[in-house]
Amino acid sequence: MGEIRIVLVEPNHPGNIGGAARAMKTMGIRSLYLVRPSRFPDPQADWRAAQAIDVLESTIVVDTLDEAIADCAQVIGTSTRNRRIPWPREDATGIANRIIQHGYHQPVAIVFGREQSGLTNEELQRCQLHLVIPASRVYPSLNLAMAVQVVCYELFKVSSGISSTPDSDRNFATSREMEGF
């Protein structure tokens, strides 16, 4: 799969940094970049990271988004808001398939924005693709660490060859049939 780089732009809460690190490690992704974090390092990040302290210890902190993505072959920006600028959009599964298909030999960055406001239009213009995680219209905004988990999970599924297609040809025993057995 090559190096997948998770980039968090100006994360405000250190717990989200730790939660993102844990999400990454459970899915086999280890490269975390932080752009101007409010508080890092921080005990709350360590606590939320659980067994992913090694991901936090290897985290690279930079001052600008340009520094975080300079050597990347592909830069993917995430956002839940619809924008007036028609960027190419894809969901997390589509992005994962695209990354695996192209087999990049340079890092690929997936950029997540601020907890309160996401990425700015200027930051999204630095990206080639716009990743959207479909969610309820009633409340479509995921927590930062949760969004990282969803994206990392989709990457893990595709890179591991795990199918999410249900086995529709099988009839399973009902609860009553199992009880009768």
Side-chain angles (χ1 to χ4, degrees), residues 79-80 89 91 132-143 150:
S79 180
T80 189
R89 295 170 49 142
D91 66 13
V132 176
I133 299 171
S136 167
R137 289 183 182 164
V138 176
Y139 190 63
S141 180
L142 291 173
N143 167 276
V150 168

Side-chain angles (χ1 to χ4, degrees), residues 50-128:
Q51 297 298 313
I53 295 293
D54 56 322
V55 174
L56 291 181
E57 289 172 347
S58 64
T59 295
I60 297 173
V61 178
V62 296
D63 290 324
T64 67
L65 177 57
D66 287 337
E67 288 177 79
I69 63 173
D71 62 337
C72 294
Q74 181 81 17
V75 181
I76 301 158
T78 62
S79 180
T80 189
R81 293 184 288 143
N82 286 327
R83 311 290 176 125
R84 290 186 179 163
I85 302 169
W87 281 290
R89 295 170 49 142
E90 205 153 348
D91 66 13
T93 304
I95 294 289
N97 283 317
R98 181 184 296 258
I99 290 170
I100 300 307
Q101 272 182 336
H102 288 292
Y104 294 103
H105 298 289
Q106 295 166 274
V108 172
I110 303 174
V111 183
F112 294 83
R114 298 153 194 85
E115 288 99 327
Q116 297 299 318
S117 59
L119 295 170
T120 66
N121 285 344
E122 293 77 25
E123 290 163 340
L124 281 171
Q125 286 176 338
R126 305 286 301 136
C127 306
Q128 290 88 29

Side-chain angles (χ1 to χ4, degrees), residues 162-174:
I162 298 171
S163 172
S164 62
T165 306
D167 190 355
S168 60
D169 294 337
R170 242 185 211 178
N171 290 324
F172 293 97
T174 65

